[in-house]
Amino acid sequence: MAKNLLIVESPTKARTVRKYLGPDFEIKASVGHVKDLPKTRLGVDIENNFRPEYVTIKGKGKILQELRKAGKKAEAVYLGPDPDREGEAIAWHIAEELDGNDKKIYRVLFHELTPKGIKEAMASPQSLDRKRYESQQARRILDRLVGYQISPLLWNKVRRGLSAGRVQSVALKMICDREKDIFAFEPEEYWSVTAHLEADAPPPFKAKLWRYEGKKIELRDKEQTESLCQEAKGHAFRVTKVTKRKKKRNPPPPFITSLLQQEAYKRLGFSAKRTMAIAQGLYEGVELGPRGQVGLITYMRTDSFRISDDAVKDAREYVAARFGKDYLPEAPNRYKSPKGAQEAHEAIRPTSVDLSPDEIAQYLTKDQLALYTLIWKRFLACQMAPLIYEQTVAEIEAGKALFRASGSVILFKGFSVLYEEKEMEENAAQAEKGKKEGAVLPPLKKNQILKLIELEPAQHFTQPPPRYTEATLIKALEENGIGRPSTYATILSNITERDYVKVEKGRFKPTELGFLVVELLEKSFPEIMDVKFTAQMETDLDKVEKGQIKWTKVLEKFYASFQKALAKAEQEMRGEVPTGVKCPKCGRAMVIKSGRNGLFLACSGYPECTHTTNFVRDDKGRVVAIESGAEETDEICELCGKKMVVRTGRFGRFLACSGYPECKNTKAVEENGNGRASPDIKCKECGSPMVVKRNKAGQQFLACSKYPACNHTEPMTTGVRCPEQGCDGVLVERRSKKGRIFYACNRYPSCRFLMWDEPYEGSCPLCGTKVLRIKRAQNGSVQLLCRKKGCDFSRPLREHVAEAGDGDQRQLERA
């Protein structure tokens, strides 16, 4: 009969631990938290030192009953939830429930679920850590005070279902601020000049214009650039200086939570939430056939780069055996943890380097294998020798112009033989294509005369700051001290699920609702929305955990100003945001409001003036009203069957469903109000003209103008002939299962030609490849490129069409 009781929080963890402890222990799982603040009320007695009111979580009563029953029979109780603040709170609440049993209660910390890790934890039981628990409690109460007092305010002033959070609202503000920066951005034109050169020996190489008359030069227009090119062509290209230097790149540190989330997103496309769920499973244990249940990684919520001496020793032995001693540094690599890191935790690493991904692949899911491989390789790489390369920089003179070429050759791969960082991979790929400095240079010497193949001027435009991806937002939150590694996944999940942001091409774009909530909160609660204030709160909570400040003092300091702001907001917040738009009926300012069917513009003179209308934002973020007056047409919406009406938006007149906002179908119109016709394309069923329409996914297609009498549809044609020899098909627009548009031959499956970029009818002037591709930049510039790999043809589309004298209206529209 078992003498002791061990309680962990996960059934999977319980199974892993059970096989190592033997019959002296009964092992139970709490299945996460057992107590929390009540859902239906604030649950915090503000007048009584912020005393929390904990209740048993719904569904956990039976589990607590089983734990109490098992506790009565045990001589000692060991509490082994995760070794962090949340785990400490779980342990504390369980201990409170078992305290009436008058048993010895110990806290054990499992940093890794291996025989050694479990044995060490059980051999050195501890007392419950009140400071860590109180830090978690203070964080929980702070989040409750903000969420449960601001959210109802938003429900009353804006609409039900909205929420605010102490950290999530600041993260949303960062996303909205980035979007405002993009709106405010003014692209600036600049030019570059690239010399394509040949030396006595291959390969050909490129050199960028670096200086002119000994100074850095900024080329701002085409005329200046062409003038400089003509001048340079009149001179010999002579090597004036060749510099060679050996450089090294040190291996990256092992993973901490934030770095794992960032790298898993960049390499594997995993969201932070998905990454943490997979990592939790790897930590708690996976069934490995004859080996049984094995914990594969150390605890995954950590901000420390510390690695145990035993783990370092194992890694060095593995590297020496597999790669040789040359790949091993003389002394182990050590990495400095961020300020305030919990050094009791280790970095995320495999529990055994001998469990290589190849050896256990058959027991893991695809996602588990991908993440485990990443962790395993990164850990070994952090204990390997640096990469060593030789960088060559050549300066090349052509009259007053000075060009510079850079190339590098790897002399020793070091850690990169096992783990190549994403940036290194991308740079190497670009260098191979000659698009980035770093490609291999031929042998060069001082005063050597080079052959000029081509002098290539190129127009560029400065780019706005990019929207945040999950990886870059996590990095920004970490750099600004917002939240903690264990909270990032929840933060990102909340703002997405609340419809405050949408994800476009993997990047966060705020919705109008997101903008509205941020503007209201910034006005009423400037402290809570302040990045520095939120970061200071995180620092104070860390101080609670270290015993440097009492948890109630943190809450008192926060609530003193928050209570005043809350009272003021209850009186003054109006749930609307002013705009620069004037009401067409009375001339008063229009404001953005939220209604049952979404956001709309309303006159601020309500109820005297009841004018409302829909709105959009232009490319500078300015609110533009869409006039509500709409001409009816005879056309029927193919999505819901209601009539289409003509409306006016920022791009002119368009057809929209009269059932808006329930149905949001739109398409282009001509002045006669009908769908944009394609008179040269006739319906194959009835001979009527085909018109351009859009489906729910936004993809254009051709449909018979006699709908619903005729239901014939066809893919959207580009008019570009298929380049495959002997094929008489044309390229049509299609959409992949993941929603990405591509262009394929309409004779599929007889012809399987496809391309991802928009096609252009014509041949490459350099290599003769039929059908070019169109690339559109965010700044509006449109480039024509060759689709053949290795061909560098590139030219502005409008310039090409103008010079070619192409009369095809479709080509001119693209330009």
Side-chain angles (χ1 to χ4, degrees):
M1 181 178 174
K3 298 177 182 178
N4 302 302
L5 172 66
L6 171 64
I7 302 173
V8 295
E9 81 281 20
S10 156
T12 305
K13 190 173 178 180
R15 286 195 297 272
T16 303
V17 174
R18 186 174 287 120
K19 61 182 274 194
Y20 298 119
L21 289 186
D24 286 343
F25 281 86
E26 182 180 7
I27 302 172
K28 294 280 187 180
S30 70
V31 194
H33 283 273
V34 292
K35 291 162 66 172
D36 196 8
L37 300 174
K39 284 190 174 183
T40 55
R41 56 189 180 277
L42 184 64
V44 179
D45 189 347
I46 297 168
E47 302 299 325
N48 190 14
N49 270 337
F50 301 94
R51 183 177 179 179
E53 175 197 348
Y54 289 112
V55 298
T56 301
I57 295 172
K58 187 177 180 181
K60 294 299 180 73
K62 187 176 180 181
I63 292 174
L64 277 176
Q65 189 177 353
E66 291 178 358
L67 296 180
R68 290 191 203 101
K69 185 178 177 181
K72 285 180 181 178
K73 296 184 292 183
E75 292 182 4
V77 178
Y78 294 82
L79 302 175
D82 287 348
D84 59 8
R85 290 168 178 160
E86 293 299 319
E88 204 66 31
I90 294 171
W92 198 275
H93 291 154
I94 293 173
E96 286 180 334
E97 292 296 316
L98 300 183
D99 196 38
N101 294 332
D102 195 26
K103 301 287 183 182
K104 293 179 180 178
I105 297 178
Y106 302 102
R107 176 77 164 110
V108 288
L109 303 176
F110 298 118
H111 295 288
E112 58 180 82
L113 298 183
T114 60
K116 181 181 176 217
I118 293 169
K119 183 180 177 181
E120 287 179 350
M122 298 305 295
S124 55
Q126 306 172 11
S127 300
L128 287 166
D129 189 334
R130 175 176 287 276
K131 296 191 293 291
R132 179 179 288 180
Y133 165 63
E134 288 179 346
S135 175
Q136 186 276 344
Q137 181 171 261
R139 184 184 300 275
R140 184 75 184 93
I141 293 173
L142 273 173
D143 291 342
R144 175 55 66 98
L145 291 174
V146 173
Y148 269 50
Q149 295 191 77
I150 296 183
S151 295
L153 191 63
L154 293 175
W155 298 354
N156 294 331
K157 304 291 185 178
V158 187
R159 77 173 187 217
R160 292 194 67 81
L162 299 182
S163 76
R166 183 180 62 86
V167 179
Q168 80 173 41
S169 296
V170 179
L172 177 60
K173 178 183 182 297
M174 291 169 67
I175 293 171
C176 290
D177 286 347
R178 176 59 59 89
E179 196 70 15
K180 290 175 183 176
D181 290 341
I182 294 171
F183 285 147
F185 181 79
E186 294 290 346
E188 294 183 8
E189 180 184 11
Y190 70 98
W191 288 70
S192 66
V193 178
T194 303
H196 296 252
L197 301 165
E198 273 185 358
D200 298 334
F205 66 100
K206 298 177 182 180
K208 294 277 188 183
L209 177 65
W210 183 39
R211 294 180 180 275
Y212 186 80
E213 293 183 335
K215 299 178 182 177
K216 285 189 176 180
I217 183 170
E218 293 183 353
L219 302 174
R220 291 297 180 187
D221 55 54
K222 183 178 180 180
E223 291 72 22
Q224 180 191 13
T225 305
E226 288 184 343
S227 173
L228 189 149
C229 287
Q230 288 300 321
E231 179 187 328
K233 285 178 182 177
H235 295 83
F237 280 71
R238 182 175 63 86
V239 178
T240 59
K241 186 177 180 181
V242 179
T243 306
K244 292 188 177 185
R245 288 180 184 168
K246 277 189 181 180
K247 292 191 172 184
K248 69 177 182 178
R249 185 181 183 115
N250 291 319
F255 281 131
I256 56 176
T257 305
S258 58
L259 292 180
L260 177 63
Q261 291 171 345
Q262 292 172 52
E263 198 72 358
Y265 176 84
K266 288 189 285 188
R267 284 176 172 265
L268 308 175
F270 290 176
S271 67
K273 186 176 181 180
R274 183 178 172 189
T275 297
M276 296 309 290
I278 299 166
Q280 183 84 39
L282 294 174
Y283 162 72
E284 291 181 347
V286 177
E287 189 69 34
L288 298 183
R291 294 186 180 90
Q293 192 97 357
V294 178
L296 293 178
I297 63 170
T298 53
Y299 191 56
M300 64 286 159
R301 293 183 180 91
T302 176
D303 54 4
S304 168
F305 287 128
R306 186 182 72 83
I307 304 171
S308 71
D309 292 339
D310 287 343
V312 170
K313 179 175 174 288
D314 291 344
R316 287 174 63 83
E317 288 176 355
Y318 189 95
V319 169
R322 178 172 171 181
F323 300 103
K325 291 187 177 180
D326 289 344
Y327 287 85
L328 204 61
E330 288 185 12
N333 294 327
R334 302 291 182 187
Y335 299 91
K336 187 177 180 181
S337 297
K339 186 179 179 182
Q342 298 182 49
E343 291 293 346
H345 292 185
E346 281 192 66
I348 304 169
R349 61 169 177 82
T351 54
S352 171
V353 292
D354 293 325
L355 292 175
S356 69
D358 291 340
E359 187 176 346
I360 62 174
Q362 60 181 311
Y363 305 111
L364 304 181
T365 66
K366 182 180 177 182
D367 285 356
Q368 286 177 330
L369 179 60
L371 193 66
Y372 180 72
T373 302
L374 196 63
I375 294 168
W376 186 85
K377 286 187 174 181
R378 176 90 166 211
F379 170 64
L380 283 173
C382 85
Q383 291 303 314
M384 294 178 72
L387 176 151
I388 300 173
Y389 63 99
E390 182 180 71
Q391 185 181 57
T392 302
V393 178
E395 295 178 13
I396 302 158
E397 186 181 71
K400 297 177 182 178
L402 187 64
F403 292 77
R404 187 167 70 168
S406 176
S408 59
V409 176
I410 294 177
L411 303 177
F412 178 66
K413 284 193 170 184
F415 73 91
S416 71
V417 73
L418 177 64
Y419 185 91
E420 198 160 324
E421 290 182 285
K422 189 67 176 173
E423 290 178 4
M424 290 172 63
E425 291 177 355
E426 291 171 353
N427 290 348
Q430 292 279 51
E432 280 183 18
K433 296 176 183 177
K435 294 180 180 178
K436 191 177 184 77
E437 289 188 359
V440 177
L441 294 180
L444 298 173
K445 57 185 178 181
K446 188 174 180 179
N447 294 323
Q448 182 178 357
I449 303 299
L450 305 173
K451 178 184 176 183
L452 176 65
I453 303 170
E454 178 193 3
L455 206 54
E456 178 192 3
Q459 182 188 39
H460 309 277
F461 291 90
T462 54
Q463 296 297 311
R467 294 187 179 117
Y468 288 112
T469 63
E470 279 211 3
T472 56
L473 183 57
I474 288 172
K475 185 177 181 181
L477 290 170
E478 185 177 40
E479 289 174 348
N480 285 285
I482 306 299
R484 284 297 177 260
S486 59
T487 64
Y488 296 148
T490 305
I491 293 169
L492 303 189
S493 179
N494 282 345
I495 59 177
T496 305
E497 291 170 3
R498 299 289 182 185
D499 197 32
Y500 291 153
V501 300
K502 56 185 177 181
V503 181
E504 292 186 354
K505 297 180 179 178
R507 295 183 180 273
F508 291 117
K509 180 180 180 181
T511 62
E512 287 299 335
L513 182 61
F515 273 126
L516 176 68
V517 169
V518 165
E519 289 198 40
L520 293 175
L521 294 181
E522 275 191 299
K523 186 175 180 180
S524 298
F525 302 96
E527 270 195 343
I528 285 179
M529 298 299 283
D530 182 67
V531 171
K532 291 182 179 178
F533 177 81
T534 305
Q536 183 58 50
M537 289 299 302
E538 296 291 351
T539 302
D540 289 344
L541 291 170
D542 289 342
K543 288 180 179 179
V544 172
E545 186 169 350
K546 296 173 183 175
Q548 296 172 352
I549 186 172
K550 193 171 175 60
W551 70 277
T552 51
K553 293 294 182 185
V554 174
L555 294 174
E556 286 170 7
K557 178 183 173 184
F558 166 79
Y559 201 72
S561 58
F562 175 68
Q563 190 176 29
K564 294 176 184 176
L566 189 65
K568 187 177 179 182
E570 287 172 346
Q571 296 295 321
E572 299 180 3
M573 184 186 282
R574 297 193 60 190
E576 59 190 36
V577 173
T579 69
V581 179
K582 298 293 183 183
C583 175
K585 290 191 175 180
C586 70
R588 293 188 182 99
M590 300 285 281
V591 294
I592 297 175
K593 284 192 170 185
S594 176
R596 214 169 26 178
N597 296 317
L599 303 185
F600 62 96
L601 281 181
C603 181
S604 58
Y606 179 86
E608 290 81 10
C609 179
T610 58
H611 180 67
T612 62
T613 184
N614 295 313
F615 71 95
V616 293
R617 289 185 189 267
D618 64 16
D619 57 358
K620 291 299 176 185
R622 295 180 291 253
V623 173
V624 179
I626 301 176
E627 292 304 322
S628 56
E631 310 169 29
E632 284 197 3
T633 70
D634 294 329
E635 184 159 354
I636 302 298
C637 174
E638 64 270 25
L639 299 185
C640 71
K642 293 181 180 178
K643 281 192 173 183
M644 301 292 282
V645 295
V646 178
R647 295 189 182 274
T648 303
R650 56 173 170 159
F651 299 120
R653 290 153 59 85
F654 65 99
L655 276 177
C657 180
S658 59
Y660 180 88
E662 287 78 14
C663 178
K664 297 181 180 179
N665 186 25
T666 63
K667 54 187 174 183
V669 297
E670 288 189 339
E671 289 306 310
N672 61 10
N674 294 320
R676 178 162 56 89
S678 300
D680 54 328
I681 304 175
K682 302 294 183 183
C683 175
K684 294 177 182 177
E685 299 289 331
C686 68
S688 301
M690 301 290 279
V691 294
V692 179
K693 295 193 176 185
R694 287 184 184 272
N695 61 20
K696 288 182 179 179
Q699 183 182 4
Q700 291 184 330
F701 65 97
L702 293 172
C704 181
S705 58
K706 293 298 184 182
Y707 177 87
C710 179
N711 293 326
H712 180 66
T713 62
E714 295 178 17
M716 186 70 180
T717 182
T718 63
V720 178
R721 288 165 291 185
C722 178
E724 289 291 323
Q725 190 171 2
C727 180
D728 59 357
V730 293
L731 302 185
V732 295
E733 180 182 312
R734 296 192 182 276
R735 190 177 289 263
S736 69
K737 289 180 180 179
K738 293 186 177 180
R740 184 178 174 188
I741 290 175
F742 67 97
Y743 301 87
C745 181
N746 67 344
R747 296 190 68 247
Y748 177 88
S750 299
C751 176
R752 294 181 175 268
F753 176 84
L754 69 83
M755 59 188 294
W756 291 102
D757 289 318
E758 190 177 344
Y760 179 91
E761 184 82 68
S763 298
C764 175
L766 296 183
C767 68
T769 298
K770 290 181 180 179
V771 179
L772 302 169
R773 60 191 182 97
I774 296 171
K775 270 290 187 187
R776 301 179 185 275
Q778 288 183 348
N779 56 34
S781 65
V782 186
Q783 290 289 117
L784 194 61
L785 306 169
C786 181
R787 63 182 177 85
K788 184 179 179 181
K789 190 175 181 180
C791 182
D792 294 328
F793 172 71
S794 174
R795 198 172 191 190
L797 177 60
R798 181 170 292 279
E799 183 181 306
H800 180 85
V801 172
E803 286 192 13
D806 195 335
D808 186 340
Q809 184 61 32
R810 187 181 290 109
Q811 308 278 50
L812 292 171
E813 284 176 358
R814 291 181 180 187

